[in-house]
Amino acid sequence: MALTPGDFTFLSNYVKNSTAIVLTPDKDYLVESRLNPVAWRLGASSISDLVSKLRANPSPTSEIGMMVSEAMTTNETYFFRDVKPFDVLRNELLPQAMERRGSDRSLNIWSGACSSGQEAYSIAMTIKEHFPSLSTWRVRIIGTDISRAMVERTKEGIFSQIEINRGLPAPLLVKYFSKVGSEWKIKGELTSMVDASVMNLAGNWPILPRMDIVFMRNVLIYFDLPTKRAILEKVVRVMAPNASLLLGGSETTMNVTNEFDRVTVGASFYYRIKGGGASSVAPSVGSTPTFRGTPVAPRAGLR
């Protein structure tokens, strides 16, 4: 049964409030296709029945609430996506960060909206392949995503053959993966570098360490302008001095926030906080911190 206008309005408002994702009326087909499996898993006879159950129990932390919200998130990702950002990481950002952090020999890299982990593990492979000296450093790659299922997949590091075929060079497959049945499992030397946890970019943030490099690619496009601005303002607060931010190819800080300068590198680009500084505070805590390492202390009242 197709969504009624009233059910779509309720769902779009619910998803906006729980995830900040904006669902326009032309996305009704997408909502139906993604919620049909949820309805089946929960024993609902139709999407309308599912919506009725959600109306009766609308808490975003309920099982049905979390399943609906997660179903509406987009988990499109693949290894070394778009290539150029990883060239910038290898040729510009990592050497710069190593020079800045040479005294304490530690690096923090954040993969925001990490989905099933391909971006985080692409970062890890770039480090392993091109920066052997970092093996003696404390390198933390923090992956966060709103989806519990995607976070668990990131932790497991198991990928299908189709996922392997999307962007992963054969030499890296041989070097860093082991065959497990019909799937491939990434080796422990890489999973030990990645710390994955559930996090809603549009909600309260846990305490995060100061980030030297931030990947927040292809996620801001799903939010309205006020939400984009709020997220980027919080990103600024967790970035170390002269840290770098990578967005998706169709994303920009222009007309969203004045906190960043755009740095062009060949056919690619990244962003750096204006003046090279960083805020003296981190976002306030919305949950118990789960990230390894020394966190930044929050200041009460910031969101």
Side-chain angles (χ1 to χ4, degrees), residues 132-237:
S133 63
L134 288 179
S135 62
T136 61
W137 287 41
R138 184 183 61 174
V139 178
R140 291 173 290 176
I141 302 169
I142 293 174
T144 66
D145 200 272
I146 193 173
S147 169
R148 298 166 299 167
M150 291 298 105
V151 167
E152 288 305 311
R153 287 207 57 204
T154 299
K155 291 178 178 179
E156 292 171 353
I158 298 176
F159 302 95
S160 68
Q161 187 65 56
I162 292 175
E163 290 169 324
I164 290 295
N165 291 343
R166 299 189 71 192
L168 184 67
L172 299 185
L173 173 64
V174 172
K175 190 170 184 178
Y176 295 112
F177 291 75
S178 300
K179 195 77 183 304
V180 179
S182 61
E183 299 177 310
W184 295 88
K185 181 173 176 58
I186 202 158
K187 293 181 178 179
E189 62 184 293
L190 293 187
T191 56
S192 65
M193 296 173 65
V194 176
D195 185 10
S197 189
V198 174
M199 176 178 171
N200 183 351
L201 292 174
N204 292 333
W205 289 13
I207 294 177
L208 295 168
R210 289 288 187 208
M211 298 298 175
D212 299 291
I213 300 169
V214 176
F215 279 69
M216 193 160 289
R217 305 180 61 240
N218 308 300
V219 62
L220 295 181
I221 54 175
Y222 299 105
F223 302 130
D224 60 19
L225 180 59
T227 304
K228 292 178 185 179
R229 181 173 294 120
I231 290 172
L232 287 176
E233 287 175 352
K234 289 195 287 188
V235 168
V236 169
R237 298 173 190 168

